[in-house]
Amino acid sequence: MNDKVQAALNTQINMELGAFYTYLSMAAYFEADGLKGFSAWMRHHAEEEMMHAMKLYDFIHARRGRVTLKALGDPKTVWENPVAAFEDALKHEQKVTAAINALVDLAREERDHATHSFLQWFVDEQVEEEEIVDDAIQKLRRIGDFGPGLYLLDREMAASAASSEGQAESEAGEG
Ligand code: FEO
């Protein structure tokens, strides 16, 4: 496959794995803080990031290219409060969106139609990713320091993670 596109896809694998690591670290932070619903949500999201990395990994191989894995940096491990963690997650998603857009531009410049088509899934996925993280931020900002509100949102996040896991399992079963 085109060398420039292959290098950029490999960099994107590293970014998705970095996102996996960040969300897993957030899951561990919430778990240690007794917010098991937030932890489950973050853990589920970490798994989604791993799936994104593997989609890219499989695509490079399908195109008879070469996957080159790179080092991951240490993720942040502590946040001031739940909303700070979600704000970091949103910043991370916005960086991923910018990287995906740059990849789409590169595929277009290089006239790599297969990669261009493949990347459309990621373009759509990023709209959803930014929206769900921003939804959580809005709710957390409304709750502020109101403990019962945080307790209820933790339960809601647990239910959301469980339903997403169930959906992912049934999709995997259909495949
Ligand atoms: Fe794979 Fe959340 O971007």
Side-chain angles (χ1 to χ4, degrees):
M1 71 186 297
N2 177 297
D3 284 349
K4 269 200 228 171
V5 172
Q6 176 174 288
L9 290 172
N10 271 306
T11 300
Q12 192 61 34
I13 290 181
N14 185 261
M15 195 169 201
E16 300 291 347
L17 290 175
F20 163 78
Y21 226 31
T22 296
Y23 281 111
L24 191 62
S25 190
M26 288 174 176
Y29 157 74
F30 283 122
E31 184 77 35
D33 222 29
L35 289 165
K36 286 183 178 289
F38 284 97
S39 179
W41 192 94
M42 286 292 179
R43 184 172 171 154
H44 171 71
H45 208 93
E47 286 162 8
E48 291 224 331
E49 298 300 348
M50 177 62 79
M51 182 269 280
H52 296 169
M54 294 313 293
K55 253 183 179 321
L56 291 152
Y57 176 99
D58 288 339
F59 178 74
I60 292 173
H61 287 141
R63 301 281 291 150
R64 301 293 179 250
R66 184 171 282 268
V67 167
T68 316
L69 297 177
K70 300 177 179 79
L72 297 173
D74 292 350
K76 192 168 165 179
T77 54
V78 177
W79 286 265
E80 200 181 329
N81 49 40
V83 76
F86 276 86
E87 282 167 352
D88 267 6
L90 182 60
K91 276 187 215 146
H92 198 91
E93 289 303 338
Q94 287 164 340
K95 274 192 208 158
V96 172
T97 300
I100 294 289
N101 289 343
L103 257 173
V104 171
D105 289 344
L106 177 68
R108 192 181 295 141
E109 280 162 25
E110 296 295 316
R111 297 178 182 276
D112 184 340
H113 301 295
T115 299
H116 188 270
S117 169
F118 165 76
L119 288 171
Q120 299 313 304
W121 183 89
F122 284 86
V123 172
D124 296 341
E125 180 76 358
Q126 280 312 117
V127 174
E128 193 185 310
E129 297 262 296
E130 285 192 29
E131 185 188 8
I132 57 170
V133 175
D134 194 54
D135 278 352
I137 292 172
Q138 301 305 323
K139 286 177 186 167
L140 281 164
R141 283 186 185 151
R142 265 176 210 275
I143 288 168
D145 291 332
F146 184 59
L150 195 62
Y151 171 77
L152 286 174
L153 185 57
D154 188 58
R155 286 181 54 168
E156 187 183 315
M157 297 298 260
S160 160
S163 122
S164 300
E165 285 286 341
Q167 205 179 328
E169 275 167 27
S170 81
E171 278 167 17
E174 282 165 18

